Amino acid sequence: MKITSTSCICPVLVCLCFVQRCYGATHHSSIKGTRNQTKHIEGETEVHHRPKRGWVWNQFFVLEEHMGPDPQYVGKLHSNSDKGDGSVKYILTGEGAGTIFIIDDTTGDIHSTKSLDREQKTHYVLHAQAIDRRTNKPLEPESEFIIKVQDINDNAPKFTDGPYIVTVPEMSDMGTSVLQVTATDADDPTYGNSARVVYSILQGQPYFSVDPKTEHYQLYVPESAQVGSAVGKIKANDADTGSNADMTYSIINGDGVGIFSISTDKETREGILSLKKPLNYEKKKSYTLNIEGANTHLDFRFSHLGPFKDATMLKIIVGDVDEPPLFSMPSYVMEVYENAKIGTVVGTVLAQDPDSANSLVRYFIDYNPEDDRFFNIDANTGTIKTTKVLDREETPWYNITVAASENDNPSLLSHVTVGIRVLDVNDNPPELAREYDIVVCENSKPGQVIHTISATDKDDFANGPRFNFFLDEHLSINPNFTLKDNEDNTASILTRRRRFSRTIQDVYYLPIMISDGGIPSLSSSSTLTIRVCACERDGRVRTCHAEAFLSSAGLSTGALIAILLCVVILLAIVVLFITLRRSKKEPLIISEEDVRENVVTYDDEGGGEEDTEAFDITALRNPSAAEELKYRRDIRPEVKLTPRHQTLSTLESIDVQEFIKQRLAEADLDPSVPPYDSLQTYAYEGQRSEAGSISSLDSATTQSDQDYQYLGDWGPEFKKLAELYGEIESERTT
């Protein structure tokens, strides 16, 4: 196949727009509305589920540039409540009501009294209402409708630049692109052909020609188009077939670079134009792109016939869309002090209509039905105020959502998040961090730290620490304990005296005061409970219960008291019995029949070896004195035994211990003696034991030169004794 210079990409581009539009075909077709409908600029209808209404009206369109002598008829309002008797009065409000548009309050006919220009204003938003002429009460709810200005071809196309001066190389091939010009038409490009531009050359033929449809391409994109969506297609024609017709598209330059991107659909060989950044009609109304299409498969044998690419200019018209209000900030952070009065101003939000109409904006807080409402907002100014007294310790932060809508179109909403920080005031006194279990050992020393306490405050850091600990000045000085502020938000409990006893008092109470660093400062009082416990030498607590002294015997305090009472009673009986015995001087046994056992207990302890007055121990020290038979005074024998006589030499040589054993055996074998028990005290100590003497007579003559550490090794029975001697030794050392 022979390729000529005209067989390259033909400079014919097709532009498609992705904007859907819908208009009524007839201007005066009657429509009965059973639901309220809002007609938008683009002809779209948004249905709101509201109560049925009996409105009947025509579609409202009015031609621009009307020059007739009479007002132009727009349409008719009619209510089902209207019986034709003139009792219904129709009222028209909104944009142009009473100046541009008038209504017959009896018939509901609407007329336009002025010539309108679509290029200045495309539509008008009005409100209609039917009321009872006698009572002025509404018969139907107020309804909103739009009067759209119908475009006519009243604007000629205009070249954006010019005059144009270009040069063309000589010997240029036929079909070489020389210049691209752009003309625009102010008429409505979405309705009819009024805005369609056709190009032609008035002079310069037959050397130059212009394609009537392609000197530039125009694409309409609404500003509400989503980022990343496809907004249009463009296609270049290639006379080749198969892979020789494959091509790619790219954006060469233009003010739309970075706003739009283009990709190639390999199946249809079309360029897909996509949006990279959001559009804003109020900031920029049009963009220009230079787009190039180039073959992907080149045959270098025919490179001299190239270039195998072509370029065109695409103009993108940004369409104005009624947008929701725009807040001045993406989010707001406000502050208010806790305990502030109801109605305190927290802050203000601001939103404006970004459209050229600049409609008024109304505000409201988007609450959930179950939420507590702590704030409200002024619908006109956007000022936020408190409706309840706030507590920072309960809720330090609030997040609310504020919505804004236009008065003319309440269905368009925008939202913004408002964070409200509740500032702290010093309204909570400090308190102890927890319940403290404080113990003091019985062997504690003065000035000893027995516990460290700390405090907390519900208020913020600025109104909390640093904490001050002190004793109440109005109370007398505590003789047992004192308090020391460590100046690090803690305090130490110290003892004032030496030694505590559980038997005397097992629990002490220490009132303390705590103040915070807020302005003004707040304080609180607390009472510490201190228990007295028995401790090991290393400070470990052994027990804190007073009944532990009797734990080895398994006796409680009540049982001990009962035993003591019994002992007292028994002692009283014994004393009484002895007194009576001494006064009567009668033997214990009166007759042979009155034989019974008697146990007499004397709670007397002997004086030891040096006691020579309490008992007559001559018989024990002089065995010869035992020759004479001694009768017991507590019995009445019937038959006197024949005394046993021993030689003097035998008595002098006998051992005292052996002598006692003999006398004991004789007493046991004597049949004349009743089986009475008696207690006899002898001064014989026997042989020396391993433990040595346990007599306390020598204790008072020596100083504390003994080491009582070994008492701790004798077991739990001697633990108390070890503590007592250990304390005495410590006191003497001190």
Side-chain angles (χ1 to χ4, degrees):
M1 179 182 66
K2 183 178 180 180
I3 299 178
T4 62
S5 61
T6 59
S7 64
C8 63
I9 298 177
C10 181
V12 177
L13 299 178
V14 179
C15 180
L16 305 177
C17 182
F18 279 62
V19 181
Q20 180 181 1
R21 296 172 178 81
C22 176
Y23 289 109
T26 309
H27 286 208
H28 299 285
S29 59
S30 178
I31 296 178
K32 181 177 181 180
T34 59
R35 294 183 186 271
N36 185 33
Q37 299 178 348
T38 302
K39 301 183 184 299
H40 296 278
I41 303 174
E42 304 301 335
E44 299 173 353
T45 302
E46 181 180 359
V47 179
H48 301 275
H49 297 283
R50 295 178 179 174
K52 292 185 177 181
R53 299 173 179 174
W55 283 108
V56 177
W57 59 62
N58 294 329
Q59 291 187 8
F60 297 138
F61 294 89
V62 59
L63 288 174
E64 69 171 342
E65 305 296 346
H66 177 70
M67 304 302 294
D70 298 326
Q72 183 181 1
Y73 180 78
V74 178
K76 182 181 182 64
L77 297 178
H78 181 72
S79 173
N80 290 340
S81 302
D82 191 355
K83 305 302 182 182
D85 55 358
S87 61
V88 177
K89 180 179 180 180
Y90 296 95
I91 299 175
L92 188 66
T93 59
E95 294 179 326
T99 56
I100 300 175
F101 304 100
I102 59 174
I103 187 173
D104 189 325
D105 62 354
T106 302
T107 63
D109 292 332
I110 300 176
H111 291 81
S112 173
T113 61
K114 294 183 180 180
S115 177
L116 304 179
D117 187 356
R118 190 205 68 85
E119 285 69 35
Q120 293 183 358
K121 190 171 182 62
T122 60
H123 67 284
Y124 296 83
V125 180
L126 295 99
H127 299 270
Q129 190 173 24
I131 64 173
D132 192 306
R133 191 178 295 273
R134 302 182 188 88
T135 63
N136 287 330
K137 293 183 178 180
L139 300 175
E140 301 287 349
E142 185 180 82
S143 182
E144 179 184 278
F145 63 98
I146 294 177
I147 299 179
K148 181 174 177 59
V149 181
Q150 187 71 49
D151 182 50
I152 63 173
N153 192 10
D154 59 341
N155 290 279
K158 297 180 180 179
F159 287 98
T160 56
D161 299 316
Y164 301 95
I165 301 176
V166 297
T167 59
V168 58
E170 62 178 348
M171 303 299 296
S172 295
D173 295 333
M174 186 179 298
T176 299
S177 178
V178 177
L179 177 66
Q180 288 182 333
V181 295
T182 301
T184 59
D185 194 314
D187 291 327
D188 189 1
T190 64
Y191 181 77
N193 296 322
S194 299
R196 182 179 180 184
V197 178
V198 179
Y199 298 90
S200 62
I201 293 181
L202 302 180
Q203 295 179 357
Q205 294 178 340
Y207 302 103
F208 298 95
S209 66
V210 62
D211 191 296
K213 299 180 180 179
T214 61
E215 278 310 307
H216 77 277
Y217 299 95
Q218 183 170 302
L219 179 64
Y220 177 86
V221 180
E223 61 177 336
S224 60
Q226 297 297 319
V227 174
S229 63
V231 296
K233 296 181 180 180
I234 193 170
K235 185 175 183 180
N237 294 326
D238 195 325
D240 293 327
T241 59
S243 62
N244 292 328
D246 291 343
M247 64 187 72
T248 58
Y249 297 89
S250 62
I251 299 176
I252 303 175
N253 53 44
D255 58 358
V257 175
I259 306 297
F260 299 91
S261 63
I262 193 169
S263 60
T264 303
D265 189 336
K266 295 182 179 180
E267 297 294 332
T268 62
R269 297 190 177 103
E270 293 176 332
I272 309 299
L273 198 67
S274 301
L275 185 63
K276 294 179 63 177
K277 294 182 179 180
L279 301 176
N280 191 328
Y281 173 83
E282 287 70 32
K283 292 184 178 180
K284 191 170 180 61
K285 296 179 174 58
S286 65
Y287 294 90
T288 301
L289 295 176
N290 290 322
I291 300 177
E292 180 184 79
N295 285 126
T296 56
H297 301 286
L298 300 179
D299 192 337
F300 293 101
R301 295 176 299 173
F302 309 104
S303 59
H304 62 284
L305 300 176
F308 295 91
K309 59 183 178 181
D310 196 12
T312 187
M313 184 175 66
L314 174 64
K315 184 173 184 179
I316 300 175
I317 305 299
V318 180
D320 187 17
V321 177
D322 193 6
E323 299 175 279
L326 181 64
F327 283 95
S328 60
M329 298 176 62
S331 62
Y332 293 85
V333 176
M334 302 176 182
E335 295 179 342
V336 62
Y337 280 97
E338 65 174 331
N339 302 331
K341 295 181 180 179
I342 296 176
T344 300
V345 175
V346 180
T348 302
V349 298
L350 177 63
Q352 293 180 335
D353 181 12
D355 299 321
S356 56
N358 196 18
S359 301
L360 295 177
V361 176
R362 296 184 65 84
Y363 305 90
F364 62 92
I365 297 178
D366 190 4
Y367 277 117
N368 291 326
E370 63 275 8
D371 289 346
D372 291 333
R373 303 191 174 188
F374 292 90
F375 308 94
N376 62 12
I377 189 170
D378 190 289
N380 298 318
T381 63
T383 300
I384 300 175
K385 298 181 180 180
T386 60
T387 59
K388 295 182 178 181
V389 177
L390 306 179
D391 185 359
R392 190 202 69 87
E393 288 71 38
E394 181 178 350
T395 306
W397 187 277
Y398 292 89
N399 288 317
I400 61 175
T401 301
V402 176
S405 64
E406 298 179 10
N407 286 349
D408 296 338
N409 193 355
S411 61
L412 291 178
L413 298 175
S414 59
H415 299 80
V416 70
T417 301
V418 179
I420 301 176
R421 181 187 297 110
V422 182
L423 301 179
D424 184 50
V425 298
N426 193 20
D427 59 346
N428 290 278
E431 56 189 15
L432 288 176
R434 58 184 175 86
E435 293 288 337
Y436 288 98
D437 183 17
I438 305 177
V439 299
V440 59
C441 294
E442 289 182 315
N443 56 355
S444 296
K445 299 178 181 179
Q448 181 177 345
V449 177
I450 62 174
H451 209 88
T452 301
I453 60 175
S454 60
T456 60
D457 197 321
K458 295 180 181 179
D459 291 322
D460 199 5
F461 182 82
N463 291 316
R466 122 157 167 81
F467 298 121
N468 295 316
F469 300 83
F470 53 94
L471 299 177
D472 193 348
E473 298 178 354
H474 300 87
L475 300 178
S476 59
I477 297 178
N478 192 305
N480 304 307
F481 304 96
T482 186
L483 183 69
K484 176 185 177 183
D485 193 336
N486 298 328
E487 298 183 356
D488 59 353
N489 298 322
T490 64
S492 299
I493 309 300
L494 293 84
T495 57
R496 280 185 177 269
R497 63 181 180 86
R498 181 188 306 275
R499 299 186 61 185
F500 294 83
S501 175
R502 289 172 293 161
T503 58
I504 298 176
Q505 185 173 351
D506 59 346
V507 176
Y508 292 86
Y509 299 97
L510 180 63
I512 64 171
M513 302 289 292
I514 310 173
S515 63
D516 58 24
I519 300 176
S521 177
L522 296 180
S523 62
S524 65
S525 62
S526 299
T527 300
L528 299 176
T529 302
I530 305 174
R531 296 185 299 146
V532 181
C533 299
C535 304
E536 303 290 351
R537 290 190 173 184
D538 57 0
R540 290 183 293 110
V541 176
R542 187 171 75 246
T543 180
C544 295
H545 300 286
E547 58 269 20
F549 292 104
L550 303 175
S551 60
S552 60
L555 299 177
S556 63
T557 304
L560 177 62
I561 295 174
I563 292 174
L564 292 177
L565 290 176
C566 293
V567 170
V568 171
I569 293 174
L570 290 175
L571 290 176
I573 293 174
V574 170
V575 171
L576 179 61
F577 184 82
I578 294 174
T579 304
L580 293 176
R581 176 186 171 189
R582 290 180 177 178
S583 62
K584 291 183 178 181
K585 302 292 183 178
E586 293 182 358
L588 295 176
I589 299 176
I590 305 302
S591 63
E592 295 181 356
E593 291 78 9
D594 189 13
V595 178
R596 60 183 179 272
E597 295 182 358
N598 289 308
V599 179
V600 180
T601 302
Y602 298 95
D603 198 11
D604 294 335
E605 184 176 350
E609 298 175 350
E610 298 180 0
D611 189 357
T612 59
E613 298 178 358
F615 299 94
D616 185 8
I617 60 174
T618 306
L620 294 179
R621 297 187 179 276
N622 187 6
S624 61
E627 295 180 357
E628 184 180 356
L629 181 63
K630 302 294 183 180
Y631 293 100
R632 296 174 58 176
R633 291 177 297 176
D634 56 346
I635 60 174
R636 181 180 298 174
E638 294 180 354
V639 180
K640 295 184 179 179
L641 295 178
T642 302
R644 299 181 181 89
H645 296 279
Q646 296 180 353
T647 62
L648 181 60
S649 60
T650 304
L651 294 176
E652 292 177 352
S653 61
I654 193 171
D655 183 67
V656 176
Q657 182 178 5
E658 184 65 25
F659 175 78
I660 293 174
K661 289 182 179 180
Q662 292 178 4
R663 287 289 184 254
L664 179 62
E666 292 175 0
D668 292 338
L669 298 176
D670 191 351
S672 63
V673 178
Y676 293 150
D677 291 336
S678 62
L679 176 65
Q680 298 184 12
T681 303
Y682 300 96
Y684 178 74
E685 292 187 356
Q687 297 179 357
R688 181 177 181 87
S689 65
E690 295 181 359
S693 176
I694 59 174
S695 175
S696 61
L697 298 178
D698 295 334
S699 301
T701 60
T702 60
Q703 298 297 328
S704 179
D705 55 354
Q706 297 187 16
D707 185 7
Y708 298 98
Q709 298 293 335
Y710 62 88
L711 294 177
D713 301 332
W714 285 10
E717 293 80 1
F718 296 91
K719 189 174 292 294
K720 184 63 179 179
L721 187 62
E723 290 180 0
L724 293 176
Y725 277 91
E727 292 178 1
I728 296 173
E729 179 65 21
S730 177
E731 291 179 1
R732 290 179 177 176
T733 303
T734 303

